[in-house]
Amino acid sequence: MKSILNTFFVNKKILLVSHWAISETPLAIRESFFNIIDNKKVDAFIAFQEKFMNVDNLNYFTKKYYNKINKLEKFKVNFENHYYLFTQSNK
């Protein structure tokens, strides 16, 4: 999979849209995915809940995109904190 994705993403700008999917994926799989796209031109729109299966997603995504966050919006659903994260690559 890594070689296929690396071939596909060569010299292309990527728009990553994830509505709760990445935040509900096990950390090992997330890291495999992000290792492939981390050095690429990526803009992202990620919706996630603050905590899922004992994972602090707010901490995870704000650390991962620390220098790229354009906007982080918080909203409540059924007494839980959810967020929209918007980033823009500088490349």
Side-chain angles (χ1 to χ4, degrees):
M1 180 170 108
K2 186 174 183 175
S3 64
I4 292 169
L5 289 175
N6 276 328
T7 301
F8 180 75
F9 291 145
V10 171
N11 297 322
K12 294 183 180 175
K13 191 161 187 175
I14 301 163
L15 174 61
L16 171 63
V17 178
S18 175
H19 294 163
W20 294 273
I22 291 178
S23 65
E24 295 180 4
T25 302
L27 291 173
I29 296 172
R30 287 186 207 185
E31 287 306 312
S32 294
F33 176 74
F34 282 119
N35 283 340
I36 295 168
I37 68 166
D38 272 346
N39 294 320
K40 309 291 190 255
K41 300 172 191 172
V42 179
D43 294 341
F45 170 44
I46 302 172
F48 62 93
Q49 53 193 333
E50 186 170 354
K51 295 193 186 311
F52 182 79
M53 300 292 289
N54 297 319
V55 174
D56 184 342
N57 284 313
L58 180 60
N59 185 48
Y60 178 86
F61 287 114
T62 53
K63 279 186 177 178
K64 175 149 291 300
Y65 288 110
Y66 177 74
N67 291 325
K68 298 178 183 175
I69 295 175
N70 286 357
K71 193 171 191 178
L72 182 65
E73 291 186 13
K74 178 180 173 180
F75 61 99
K76 289 211 180 258
V77 176
N78 297 327
F79 305 104
E80 295 178 345
N81 293 330
H82 292 255
Y83 295 85
Y84 289 129
L85 172 75
F86 302 89
T87 71
Q88 186 172 5
S89 69
N90 295 327
K91 297 180 180 183

